[in-house]
Amino acid sequence: MKKKVVVIFTGGTISMKIDPEIHAAIPALNSDEIIAMVSNIENVAEIESINFANIPSPHLTTQHMMSIADTVRENILKEDVTGIVITHGTDTLEETAYLLDLLIQSEKPIVVVGAMRNSSELGYDGSSNLSAAICTAISPKAKNKGVLVVMNNEVNAASEVTKTNTLSLDTFKSPEFGPLGIVDNDEVIFYRDIAANRIIDTNTIEEKVALIKTATGIGLDVLDFYIDSGYKGIVIEALGRGNIPPQLVPGVKRAIMNNIPVVMVSRCYTGRVLYTYGYEGGGKHLKDLGVIFGGNLPGQKARIKLMLSLGYTKDIEKIRKIFED
Ligand code: ASP
């Protein structure tokens, strides 16, 4: 008997075709049409399809992502299901994958996959990516690795991977540590292990979390806007090792005084933030003000983590622990 994989289809380029009237890609294919393009997959696994949605990933909201998590939870508990695959637009794929990684505790493989070329283009990569994702979902080696992202025959950890290129098929990279492994035909080979993520035990997500990217001369008005608009959390993509222009410091103080957690990560592509610099707006100064350090996460993932943390607790010290411990 073949192992069973539940494939949850959400949309994205993997389900798109060029519309003849507008000459641009739009969602068009349903699950059966996509699966039909994955030749011989019936020899590898039994597939159960769920048509969750057929939308481009810039249209997904965090509420959609929470419902995807519910659908994964429901299905992963079923005894006859070996693993789960989620098809997704690549633009926000890393956000959904990381959200699932933070929410779902299961030893069974959960794999997120997309495509960079739609089905009207030469060299549609949806079928090969989906077959590699299904092979990963049934591989015993893929157990207990958290949520995985499989594209272009590489297996990456949701906590590490990011979209690095607007058009390349090998766009998904883990810039800090490299891929966990590869899919070679139908065999999944891991080169390294990964420590399990700490799970955030919540069914709620706080929507009002801002993400601010710093740049030379960026000003206080940005933070004032979010504080005055009732935002409940702020992520700052700081400069370098974790420093901000001094004119942002009063806004950071005001946010923290208003019980709004401020999480700092770096706008640098790789590396952690740390309290290295003691000048005004430097990491040490920010630490003393109560800023939470977000490690080496990119801003978009730190934001997902803060949104879930705020769903779990409003206590800034507990949120600090989630990020810093
Ligand atoms: N814009 C598309 C989306 O994220 C890109 C893709 O799927 O590759 O839905």
Side-chain angles (χ1 to χ4, degrees):
M1 211 170 71
K2 298 268 173 303
K3 293 178 180 168
K4 184 166 169 181
V5 176
V6 172
V7 185
I8 303 168
F9 291 83
T10 74
T13 296
I14 194 166
S15 65
M16 293 194 197
K17 294 208 265 224
I18 305 275
D19 182 278
E21 268 171 33
I22 57 173
H23 306 290
I26 54 164
L29 307 174
N30 63 30
S31 58
D32 290 344
E33 291 168 306
I34 299 170
I35 290 286
M37 286 189 279
V38 188
S39 45
N40 299 319
I41 200 63
E42 64 284 355
N43 300 330
V44 172
E46 182 196 340
I47 306 296
E48 183 185 319
S49 301
I50 296 181
N51 284 295
F52 175 88
N54 202 354
I55 48 183
S57 73
H59 291 196
L60 284 173
T61 64
T62 47
Q63 288 308 330
H64 286 123
M65 292 178 183
M66 293 301 275
S67 316
I68 295 172
D70 288 340
T71 311
V72 172
R73 271 197 203 99
E74 239 169 69
N75 285 282
I76 206 140
L77 287 174
K78 296 180 183 160
E79 234 171 79
D80 63 334
V81 172
T82 303
I84 306 273
V85 170
I86 300 120
T87 70
H88 201 288
T90 59
D91 290 350
T92 62
L93 186 150
E94 66 197 82
E95 281 155 87
T96 297
Y98 189 50
L99 175 136
L100 297 174
D101 198 43
L102 291 172
L103 286 178
I104 297 175
Q105 182 122 49
S106 173
E107 61 157 31
K108 294 183 186 176
I110 301 170
V111 184
V112 191
V113 66
M116 290 300 288
R117 295 189 188 145
N118 69 68
S119 63
S120 308
E121 279 181 280
L122 286 175
Y124 172 61
D125 56 332
S127 338
S128 55
N129 285 342
L130 185 50
S131 64
I134 291 167
C135 290
T136 307
I138 57 170
S139 168
K141 293 184 200 154
K143 283 183 169 181
N144 284 316
K145 298 241 181 307
V147 174
L148 301 170
V149 172
V150 171
M151 294 274 294
N152 200 45
N153 289 339
E154 276 188 5
V155 184
N156 284 282
S159 55
E160 299 175 351
V161 76
T162 194
K163 184 173 181 178
T164 64
N165 188 290
T166 57
L167 75 143
S168 297
L169 302 191
D170 68 344
T171 181
F172 281 92
K173 298 279 178 204
S174 299
E176 199 98 45
F177 308 113
L180 293 180
I182 58 165
V183 185
D184 185 351
N185 286 314
D186 59 354
E187 190 189 355
V188 186
I189 302 166
F190 283 94
Y191 295 122
R192 66 178 172 92
D193 214 344
I194 181 158
N197 230 339
R198 179 182 170 152
I199 297 293
I200 303 177
D201 186 12
T202 183
N203 290 317
T204 317
I205 189 157
E206 173 54 61
E207 304 268 348
K208 293 203 93 170
V209 175
L211 172 58
I212 297 165
K213 184 172 188 140
T214 47
T216 304
I218 203 155
L220 172 64
D221 45 352
V222 183
L223 281 169
D224 276 343
F225 169 80
Y226 286 116
I227 298 166
D228 295 337
S229 308
Y231 274 70
K232 302 289 189 285
I234 297 171
V235 175
I236 300 182
E237 267 189 23
L239 307 168
R241 191 70 156 135
N243 313 300
I244 59 172
Q247 60 271 24
L248 271 181
V249 170
V252 168
K253 283 186 187 160
R254 199 181 149 216
I256 294 170
M257 253 167 43
N258 283 281
N259 207 35
I260 300 170
V262 178
V263 173
M264 180 175 62
V265 291
S266 177
R267 72 174 193 177
C268 288
Y269 185 47
T270 53
R272 300 172 67 227
V273 286
L274 200 71
Y275 23 92
T276 304
Y277 293 97
Y279 53 78
E280 196 188 358
K284 177 67 171 64
H285 182 211
L286 299 176
K287 178 146 191 71
D288 293 344
L289 291 178
V291 169
I292 296 168
F293 283 57
N296 58 4
L297 289 174
Q300 64 274 20
K301 282 192 194 167
R303 178 170 171 269
I304 292 287
K305 192 169 186 175
L306 183 54
M307 293 172 103
L308 292 175
S309 302
L310 280 162
Y312 170 68
T313 178
K314 301 286 178 247
D315 182 333
I316 290 196
E317 287 321 306
K318 285 191 182 149
I319 295 174
R320 186 186 312 284
K321 277 202 157 102
I322 293 172
F323 277 89
E324 293 184 358
D325 276 2

